[in-house]
Amino acid sequence: MWRLYYHLVWTTKNRQPLITSNKEQQLYNYILGKAQALNCQIHAIDGIEDHIHVVVTIPPSLAVSEFVKKIKGSSSHHLNHSSNTSSDKFAWQEGYGVFSLGYKQLKDVVIYVQNQKNHHSQLTTHPYLEPKNAEN
């Protein structure tokens, strides 16, 4: 038995505001489906226009880096080839942040991620859980 929980964060290319309201739900639904296909469980997903947070359980048979690579690559491809999106090219920045957490922290981190828009609008983000700049 295993319980591996991760809080992942990554940004759009050059921190451009590419996660628009008309793309957001399509992006999140795609990531949920792709994670399920990889036998991973998404506990929470949210973000703002230039970055995304994902709380996920990843089985030990799949490296975290491989999970992120598959999610980022396939989701940008999906958005760029979907008929519902504009002609703007969607791309993710290289790299990501990852935080491991225990079961006792899971609920608090899920709540934090589910309230990303509120945290950013009210300036109540936790700096160590947010991307620092476009180079990260």
Side-chain angles (χ1 to χ4, degrees):
M1 175 176 219
W2 50 268
R3 291 185 183 152
L4 303 170
Y5 306 104
Y6 302 97
H7 177 181
L8 301 165
V9 183
W10 62 85
T11 64
T12 58
K13 184 82 170 176
N14 298 321
R15 296 293 291 265
Q16 295 175 58
L18 300 177
I19 307 173
T20 58
S21 57
N22 64 329
K23 290 182 185 175
E24 183 180 52
Q25 199 56 53
Q26 180 185 8
L27 173 64
Y28 294 172
N29 287 340
Y30 180 84
I31 290 173
L32 288 165
K34 183 68 175 180
Q36 185 176 14
L38 294 169
N39 296 316
C40 299
Q41 179 185 359
I42 301 281
H43 300 278
I45 185 170
D46 200 10
I48 60 170
E49 297 84 4
D50 68 357
H51 72 273
I52 188 172
H53 291 254
V54 179
V55 180
V56 61
T57 297
I58 301 173
S61 59
L62 180 63
V64 174
S65 60
E66 193 63 22
F67 171 81
V68 174
K69 178 182 174 183
K70 289 177 182 290
I71 295 292
K72 286 172 66 176
S74 65
S75 64
S76 61
H77 181 269
H78 175 74
L79 285 179
N80 286 325
H81 293 89
S82 171
S83 60
N84 316 12
T85 61
S86 69
S87 61
D88 295 337
K89 183 169 169 57
F90 188 92
W92 295 112
Q93 187 85 4
E94 285 188 33
Y96 61 96
V98 60
F99 307 90
S100 61
L101 51 133
Y103 180 75
K104 288 183 179 182
Q105 293 86 32
L106 182 62
K107 181 180 176 185
D108 290 338
V109 175
V110 164
I111 291 168
Y112 178 75
V113 168
Q114 289 174 335
N115 289 290
Q116 275 296 291
K117 289 171 189 58
N118 289 336
H119 286 302
H120 282 274
S121 68
Q122 298 171 10
L123 303 176
T124 58
T125 60
H126 295 291
Y128 60 92
L129 296 176
E130 297 292 332
K132 289 183 176 53
N133 57 44
E135 289 80 43
N136 290 348

